[in-house]
Amino acid sequence: MTAIPLVLVHGHPFDHTMWRPQIEAFSASRRVVAPDLRGYGTAVPPAPVERFERFAGDIEALLDELDVTACVLAGLSMGGQIVMDCYRHFPERIRGLVLADTFPAADTPEGVRVRHATADRLLREGMRGYADEVLEKMVAPYASPEVKAHVHGMMTATRPESAAAALRARAARPDYRELLTRVTVPALVAVGADDTYTPVADAQAMHAALPESELHVFEGAAHLPNLERAGEFNTVLGEFLAKVDARS
């Protein structure tokens, strides 16, 4: 049985090290690709994204470069929305979807206003104040000091210009709800029980919309269950990957 490559798409304002526990857990048994998105981490080109679909285009180009013809595509938060955009653009390459702590709807007018206001703030003030403010929403207040330090470090290392550009691009993204009803591959929907950014109700709605999906709610986690509950997350992801491998 062939192990399908796993492609991991990080959220905002993070980098590929967000997936460190998953890279360590699965690299021995399958090819794992965990890029830094355009403008984040050490990504080349470092220039910020202009349009949201550019993220999906970059991932498709990377798959071409690495000769990955089929994969399981996993994304968290903004990464989950990028995964949905990838399915919109190149579904024939995708054998399974993992949608973690994300939501498919386009932003409301108020959501657009908040994203632009946050982008303005990041350009004006830098990342640290924002990172301090949102840390205990990204991860639960009771998360381990090590996880908190990792998440805070990723946020403060992100370039404000890149974070602001991604927020503006994300504010203009399309609505993926109808797309989800047409997905023809298995999907895993995951969410932290204490996530206030993308609450459990959002995950339940995605699970209901997807023709073939399973839902897992991680107790003792907020917006980043892959870090907060890494062992349990890896177990659930591993079982899903085994099912996709068997099917493929």
Side-chain angles (χ1 to χ4, degrees):
M1 185 169 63
T2 302
I4 304 296
L6 172 64
V7 179
L8 300 166
V9 185
H10 68 76
H12 163 91
F14 308 129
D15 58 44
H16 80 279
T17 68
M18 190 202 89
W19 295 110
R20 188 180 294 149
Q22 290 69 53
I23 296 167
E24 292 173 353
F26 295 104
S27 290
S29 58
R30 71 183 63 239
R31 189 174 192 182
V32 177
V33 179
D36 282 331
L37 294 170
R38 178 180 291 251
Y40 291 83
T42 59
V44 177
V49 72
E50 323 87 33
R51 303 181 315 280
F52 193 72
E53 58 264 31
R54 172 69 74 176
F55 287 127
D58 286 346
I59 290 171
E60 186 173 26
L62 179 62
L63 297 181
D64 288 343
E65 181 183 332
L66 298 177
D67 196 27
V68 175
T69 57
C71 65
V72 172
L73 200 52
L76 185 144
S77 193
M78 181 180 78
Q81 293 165 340
I82 293 168
V83 162
M84 293 181 238
D85 209 54
C86 288
Y87 193 86
R88 181 165 72 105
H89 284 96
F90 50 94
E92 69 283 352
R93 300 177 83 151
I94 300 171
R95 299 292 177 267
L97 295 175
V98 180
L99 300 171
D101 300 82
T102 191
F103 68 99
D107 278 351
T108 63
E110 174 62 11
V112 170
R113 187 196 68 76
V114 169
R115 289 202 198 278
H116 282 281
T118 303
D120 292 341
R121 175 191 174 185
L122 297 181
L123 291 174
R124 187 173 61 248
E125 301 176 6
M127 297 298 294
R128 182 164 295 276
Y130 171 80
D132 292 346
E133 187 177 297
V134 303
L135 178 61
E136 291 192 350
K137 290 181 70 178
M138 293 295 187
V139 297
Y142 50 77
S144 74
E146 294 78 14
V147 166
K148 285 185 177 180
H150 180 194
V151 172
H152 192 269
M154 286 189 292
M155 288 194 286
T156 55
T158 296
R159 292 180 288 276
E161 297 79 10
S162 297
L167 284 168
R168 298 192 202 283
R170 196 174 175 194
R173 74 186 184 282
D175 192 313
Y176 302 111
R177 286 176 292 185
E178 193 275 331
L179 175 72
L180 293 186
T181 68
R182 296 186 280 108
V183 170
T184 60
V185 298
L188 168 64
V189 179
V191 66
D194 294 333
D195 190 346
T196 57
Y197 284 122
T198 53
V200 172
D202 288 350
Q204 290 170 332
M206 287 193 298
H207 172 52
L210 287 155
E212 184 183 350
S213 69
E214 54 190 88
L215 170 65
H216 194 92
V217 180
F218 293 88
E219 299 296 333
H223 195 53
L224 292 164
N226 71 299
L227 287 172
E228 297 171 88
R229 305 288 294 174
E232 183 185 353
F233 190 95
N234 288 349
T235 297
V236 172
L237 178 56
E239 291 170 354
F240 176 74
L241 291 171
K243 293 175 186 175
V244 176
D245 290 345
R247 174 176 172 146
S248 299

